[in-house]
Amino acid sequence: MTDINSLSDRLLFGIPKKGRLHETCLSLLSGADINFHRPNRLDIALVRNLPIALVFLPASDIPRYVADGNVDLGITGHDVILEAQVGDRIEQLLELGFGNCKLQVQVPVRSNIKKVEELVGKRIVTSFVVLAGAYFEELDKKYLSDDQKKEGVKTKIQYVGGSVEAACALGLADGIESGETMRAAGLHPISTVCNTQAILIRNKNSPNTSLISKLTSRIKGVIAAQKYVLLNYNIQRTSLSKATKITPGRQAPTVSPLDDNVWVEVQSMVCKEEVADIMDQLEEIGAKDILVFKIDN
């Protein structure tokens, strides 16, 4: 077991304990060389090679833990950060590029509702009552009549923490707000409240600024490695300017002379999704020995 006293000199890093973010977070930690062993059933793991303790928490709780200073750093979804209303006490350090989804308003396919304004004044169930409340408050202002406003009519937002998709089928609501795919439940989206992804956040008053900076830099490296590959090729000097326009790199390409007055070697980072097209373009201008290397970090 982990002695709570052993955490006093460690940076506490909140990690989602399950769900869609958990496995990708573990892969991210591995790529950043954060080595740890998590004993079965324990939600605290000591990092072996850095003064860090990982604290495994529900993703929805992480924004408040970070804001209150219970943990220094955390990874969670942008939607739950907004829902927690803690923006004045946390700093969003880095968009992580995974856990992408949409928080949407959805209604039964069999219903006649086609536009989100048709739900104004009706019942909405959601696990994101803050975001849903703000979203429908604006719609109420725009679409409710003056008489309805005087009578106190407004869209009713009700919290449901479990099976949100069952609410319409059971007659508990006219529409739901959810970030998950609901097609199997006979629902379809009619409006998007917000787009979300995983975010690295920190407590604004954390004293561990140096270690947080180191971790952020490492994680940036892992994210870059996932997006880029290293392209290596030989090109005649007369075509070098054309080649470097095709492969400008993140900052600039590396150009090295060969034991030849005609040819040079070029190394450049290129977007992984574009590498095939870039290789075709290089070949068209006479590049030879084009090689692609995976980047680990």
Side-chain angles (χ1 to χ4, degrees):
M1 294 182 63
T2 300
D3 184 350
I4 193 66
N5 294 322
S6 66
L7 305 180
S8 60
D9 59 348
R10 290 177 176 265
L11 179 141
L12 302 184
F13 192 171
I15 303 295
K17 65 187 300 181
K18 59 182 179 180
R20 60 190 174 87
L21 301 182
H22 176 72
E23 291 299 329
T24 311
C25 283
L26 296 186
S27 177
L28 190 68
L29 295 175
S30 176
D33 194 32
I34 298 174
N35 300 321
F36 68 96
H37 170 65
R38 182 186 179 189
N40 288 337
R41 299 180 180 276
L42 290 184
D43 287 336
I44 296 177
L46 301 184
V47 174
R48 298 188 184 101
N49 55 335
L50 288 168
I52 298 169
L54 304 179
V55 185
F56 293 90
L57 300 163
S60 59
D61 292 343
I62 289 177
R64 196 161 300 282
Y65 274 92
V66 174
D68 291 344
N70 302 115
V71 296
D72 302 279
L73 199 64
I75 293 175
T76 191
H78 183 56
D79 50 352
V80 296
I81 295 170
L82 295 175
E83 182 70 15
Q85 297 181 294
V86 292
D88 58 330
R89 291 181 286 154
I90 67 167
E91 179 183 355
Q92 298 189 29
L93 297 175
L94 193 60
E95 294 181 346
L96 300 177
F98 62 87
N100 298 299
C101 72
K102 295 178 180 180
L103 189 63
Q104 298 177 313
V105 180
Q106 304 203 17
V107 296
V109 174
R110 66 178 184 275
S111 76
N112 294 320
I113 298 172
K114 305 298 181 183
K115 298 179 181 180
V116 70
E117 52 263 35
E118 296 176 55
L119 289 172
V120 167
K122 298 184 183 297
R123 301 166 298 169
I124 306 296
V125 295
T126 179
S127 53
F128 292 88
V129 292
V130 172
L131 288 172
Y135 183 76
F136 278 96
E137 183 179 359
E138 292 302 312
L139 292 176
D140 284 354
K141 290 178 182 178
K142 186 174 181 180
Y143 292 105
L144 287 176
S145 67
D146 290 339
D147 288 341
Q148 286 176 311
K149 292 174 184 177
K150 289 177 182 178
E151 293 170 3
V153 174
K154 63 178 182 178
T155 305
K156 300 174 181 64
I157 309 296
Q158 182 178 348
Y159 175 80
V160 175
S163 182
V164 178
E165 66 271 22
C168 291
L170 296 173
L172 300 176
D174 301 292
I176 68 169
E177 188 198 38
S178 173
E180 301 299 324
T181 301
M182 295 293 180
R183 190 174 300 169
L187 302 167
H188 73 119
I190 58 171
S191 180
T192 296
V193 177
C194 71
N195 294 301
T196 182
Q197 65 172 301
I199 305 284
L200 178 68
I201 60 175
R202 60 160 288 179
N203 178 277
K204 284 186 175 180
N205 298 316
S206 172
N208 297 296
T209 53
S210 177
L211 187 52
I212 288 174
S213 178
K214 178 185 288 189
L215 278 173
T216 304
S217 179
R218 287 191 182 190
I219 291 171
K220 281 182 180 179
V222 177
I223 293 170
Q226 293 170 347
K227 292 181 179 179
Y228 292 89
V229 292
L230 184 65
L231 198 63
N232 193 104
Y233 59 92
N234 296 332
I235 191 77
Q236 291 189 22
R237 291 179 184 274
T238 53
S239 299
L240 181 59
S241 62
K242 293 180 182 178
T244 54
K245 286 180 181 178
I246 297 171
T247 60
R250 294 188 72 195
Q251 294 184 347
T254 300
V255 180
S256 305
L258 299 177
D259 191 15
D260 182 315
N261 292 327
V262 178
W263 294 82
V264 294
E265 178 189 42
V266 179
Q267 285 188 337
S268 182
M269 288 177 65
V270 301
C271 183
K272 189 181 297 184
E273 294 180 351
E274 300 172 0
V275 67
D277 184 54
I278 289 171
M279 292 173 74
D280 291 340
Q281 294 179 54
L282 289 172
E283 193 170 47
E284 288 175 4
I285 63 169
K288 302 292 184 183
D289 307 317
I290 305 172
L291 304 174
V292 178
F293 298 95
K294 178 184 176 182
I295 302 172
D296 289 327
N297 202 330

